[in-house]
Structure formats: structure tokens, C-alpha cells
Amino acid sequence: MKKNEIIELLQSIGSEQKMLFRRARDIKEKEFGNYIILRGVIETTNLCKVNCDYCPMRKDNIKNNSIFTLEEKEILSTANIIKDNNVNIVFFQGGEVPQTTKLIGRVIPKIRKLFNDKVEILLNLGIKRKDEFQYLYDQGATSYILKHETSDEDLHFRLRHEHLSTRIEAIKNLVDIGFKTGTGMIVGLPGQSISSIANDIILAKDLGVHMCSASPFIPAPNTPLVSNKHGSVDISLNAISIMRILSPNWLIPSVSALEKIRKDGQAQGIRAGANVLTINFTPSIAKQKYLIYGRERFVVKNHYVSSLIKKERLLVSPSVFIKR
Ligand code: SAH
Ligand code: SF4
């Protein structure tokens, strides 16, 4: 697919959009049947040393936020709850701080034991040095998500105060080590062009990753971007379809930000070609302090996912990455 075609498809509406979704859904069904993959997320810490302008956990908010980092026993009891819910992907998400390397590294073998090794340990803890990534892999982590966020170098630096190349190098390190690697983009960041969203999709493909997300931008409270408008759900859904067409075997989540902006947004993500949902298992006190998208964020709970699965007539698939 040429870049021009991607740009055109990203802007599909009405019957063209329906056709795009159908094409993507057919490919997904050929590759995965009507199976959906469920991840159980544990939000590990809201402490972060990076200062992304879109994120309420940014460094400048440390003095105003009430900070938490889960302890090992809370993590293990949460992993137990995930197991009891028949989910076999334990997903650690959190701010980018060096402390998470040792904390998570220590608990990984214990979680593996808890699941009798039939578990995928998925991490989303920001950039780390290659030897730290390697340590986590050696401890038994399976997969790692590090979104490139935006492939527009100037915009990336303006909003994240870091160079895109640093992020890309870290993603390449993950692939190199052997992680099942995910990247992703935020759609509708202030100052982002449609052409740069097409570049996001092309970049993800070039990186040789195994998973990718497209999530609409949410103007979160207590961030410099609070008064901007949210990203387009339609462009995000179209991006999901295009990625499915270009990379039939990718894991592509239908993210909660879609539902936050539009009722039924997550079901539409699945109809557009996504095949992953994430259920939030973070202990509730920590959950209140974990501020992605602000306090009013849409927290995906188990009963909501169960009704979505029923409504969309899906079957639940265990992790496809369990064999290393
Ligand atoms: N700190 C790690 C992981 C946790 S943040 C990291 O940044 O990689 C997880 C994701 O939340 C980020 O990748 C970012 O894409 C997303 N995010 C944060 N604030 C957002 C917002 N306001 N709108 C859309 N996505 C946001
Ligand atoms: Fe930190 Fe991730 Fe938020 Fe950026 S998006 S401020 S790296 S938690």
C-alpha cells in the first residue's frame, strides 16, 4: 500500500469506511477466527521521570500527584486474581522509572510459577537501558510495549521533550533481544498531520514489531494540553483497519480511549479489525491515583468485557506468545 492510499483510507467515512472495516475484519477472521485476546493490566507505579505534555503522570506533576508504587505482595495477589479470571497475560504498565526493573524482575519468576509457566508477561514501563531490558527478558518477561507515540520528529520532541530516535533505538533493542514487541501511536495530537499518521503506520511496519495500537488523544486534566480537542475516533478506527490489512497477524488492541470518547467505541474497534482487550485489575486504591486520561478515565472492568464479548459473539483466546 502506497502512502497516498494510506492517507486516503485514514479519512474514510460512511460506506467507504464500512468497506474498509469489512476488508480488515475478513483478514482478522482468516487469521484469528472470532477469537479475542484478553490482557490483565496491573498499573504498577504512577511515578515517572519523563514529562510528556499529554500525560497527567508527567514529571512536573509529581509534587501534586499522590504517588504510589505497588509492593511485591500486592502484585502477586493481583496476579492471582488475574489467574482466577482465566486471563493468562499479566500486563505491567507504569511510569518510566528505573525502580521498576528490579521490582518487576523479582516478581516475574514468581508469577511464572503461579501460572505453571502458562503465562505471558507483558511490560509497558518505558525506555530502559538494553541490559535492563535483557535482565527482564532473562527473568522471564515475554513481551514489551513501547509506543513510538508520533513519528513526527519535531512534534515528538515538542510533546515528549525527548528525541524520537531514542525511542526508536529502544524499540529496536527490544526486537533484538527477542521480545514480542509492540509499538503504537496517539492519533490527533495537537499539531499532528494526517500524513504523519500515515508515517506512523509505515514506521511501525518497518520496525518489524508484533503488535501495534492506534489510540485517540485525550486532553487530560493537569496537563499543558488540557484545552485541546480530543483525537478523532474515526481516524483511529481507520488506522486499526489499515494496520490489520498491512499486517494480518499483528495483535491490535481496541483501547479504552475509544470508549471514553464514543459510547460503543471499543466494540467498533473490534469491528474495525482489533483483536485484543485489556481488563484493569489494579488494586482500587492505586487505581484512583493512576491518572492516564485523568480521573474520569474509562476503566475497563471484567463485567464490561464479558458483556462486550457476548455482544460481539467472540471467543476468548489464550496468549499466542506463550512459547518462547
Ligand atoms: N510510561 C510508559 C508506559 C505507561 S503510559 C510509556 O510512556 O511508554 C502508556 C501510554 O499511555 C503511553 O504510551 C501513551 O501513549 C498513553 N497516553 C498517556 N496519556 C495519553 C493521552 N492523554 N491521550 C492518549 N494516550 C495517552
Ligand atoms: Fe511518563 Fe509514559 Fe506518561 Fe510519558 S506517557 S509522562 S513516559 S507515564
Side-chain angles (χ1 to χ4, degrees):
M1 209 186 280
K2 294 254 164 55
K3 184 176 166 189
N4 273 347
E5 197 185 340
I6 298 179
I7 292 176
E8 215 167 281
L9 288 173
L10 277 172
Q11 298 171 90
S12 308
I13 46 167
S15 59
E16 274 179 21
Q17 189 182 42
K18 278 210 183 84
M19 259 161 54
L20 175 65
F21 289 1
R22 168 119 304 273
R23 197 173 146 199
R25 206 160 59 234
D26 285 348
I27 292 174
K28 178 182 74 172
E29 279 165 12
K30 217 164 139 203
E31 197 72 28
F32 295 95
N34 56 343
Y35 280 94
I36 189 99
I37 290 161
L38 297 183
R39 295 172 177 157
V41 68
I42 307 176
E43 291 153 339
T44 313
T45 180
N46 60 353
L47 202 57
C48 188
K49 66 175 168 57
V50 193
N51 210 24
C52 303
D53 285 0
Y54 42 80
C55 178
M57 298 195 298
R58 63 202 301 272
K59 185 175 87 188
D60 281 0
N61 284 348
I62 287 183
K63 51 191 182 305
N64 308 320
N65 286 346
S66 135
I67 297 299
F68 80 93
T69 302
L70 294 183
E71 286 173 14
E72 186 172 318
K73 68 175 192 306
E74 291 172 297
I75 294 175
L76 290 171
S77 63
T78 311
N80 233 319
I81 298 170
I82 294 177
K83 181 171 172 272
D84 288 345
N85 279 276
N86 294 318
V87 172
N88 77 340
I89 303 177
V90 179
F91 178 15
F92 290 103
Q93 191 176 56
E96 182 178 311
V97 279
Q99 297 91 295
T100 54
T101 307
K102 281 222 174 89
L103 172 66
I104 300 301
R106 250 191 348 254
V107 298
I108 292 172
K110 297 179 182 169
I111 296 177
R112 286 207 154 268
K113 210 164 153 205
L114 184 72
F115 280 79
N116 238 332
D117 250 0
K118 293 190 175 55
V119 65
E120 171 186 340
I121 309 277
L122 168 62
L123 310 178
N124 178 216
L125 300 168
I127 297 178
K128 294 182 182 291
R129 291 191 319 263
K130 192 172 184 183
D131 62 295
E132 293 175 295
F133 283 153
Q134 184 71 56
Y135 162 74
L136 289 164
Y137 187 77
D138 294 342
Q139 287 296 96
T142 323
S143 42
Y144 206 110
I145 293 173
L146 191 64
K147 295 165 65 175
H148 68 265
E149 318 290 5
T150 170
S151 59
D152 176 331
E153 273 175 52
D154 294 341
L155 186 65
H156 192 104
F157 192 75
R158 211 156 63 229
L159 298 183
R160 301 199 68 257
H161 317 287
E162 281 185 355
H163 290 287
L164 172 67
S165 54
T166 313
R167 199 92 173 153
I168 301 292
E169 197 188 310
I171 296 171
K172 288 184 173 161
N173 283 342
L174 290 165
V175 174
D176 197 39
I177 288 168
F179 276 104
K180 299 294 179 191
T181 306
T183 188
M185 68 208 81
I186 305 179
V187 169
L189 287 165
Q192 186 188 42
S193 67
I194 196 89
S195 152
S196 108
I197 301 172
N199 287 337
D200 285 326
I201 295 175
I202 295 165
L203 171 65
K205 181 94 189 152
D206 290 347
L207 283 168
V209 292
H210 313 88
M211 344 180 228
C212 190
S213 65
S215 173
F217 162 67
I218 306 282
N222 303 315
T223 67
L225 300 182
V226 62
S227 43
N228 289 274
K229 67 176 194 342
H230 63 69
S232 158
V233 171
D234 283 311
I235 297 176
S236 306
L237 294 170
N238 294 343
I240 289 174
S241 289
I242 298 165
M243 295 192 299
R244 175 61 64 210
I245 293 164
L246 292 175
S247 306
N249 64 353
W250 269 2
L251 301 193
I252 304 175
S254 184
V255 297
S256 62
L258 292 167
E259 189 75 28
K260 185 172 163 72
I261 302 175
R262 181 187 288 174
K263 195 171 167 351
D264 212 34
Q266 260 182 314
Q268 290 177 8
I270 292 165
R271 287 176 225 142
N275 65 333
V276 182
L277 286 169
T278 300
I279 307 172
N280 198 313
F281 287 95
T282 312
S284 59
I285 294 175
K287 209 182 293 187
Q288 287 159 25
K289 297 178 184 168
Y290 194 88
L291 289 170
I292 288 195
Y293 313 150
R295 269 191 213 292
E296 298 301 308
R297 76 205 180 102
F298 183 79
V299 178
V300 182
K301 300 207 189 72
N302 211 356
H303 60 84
Y304 164 78
V305 167
S306 307
S307 64
L308 193 58
I309 287 171
K310 219 162 141 192
K311 199 176 97 200
E312 300 298 311
R313 300 203 173 109
L314 303 165
L315 295 166
V316 176
S317 163
S319 164
V320 290
F321 290 153
I322 277 188
K323 279 220 175 75
R324 295 178 68 186

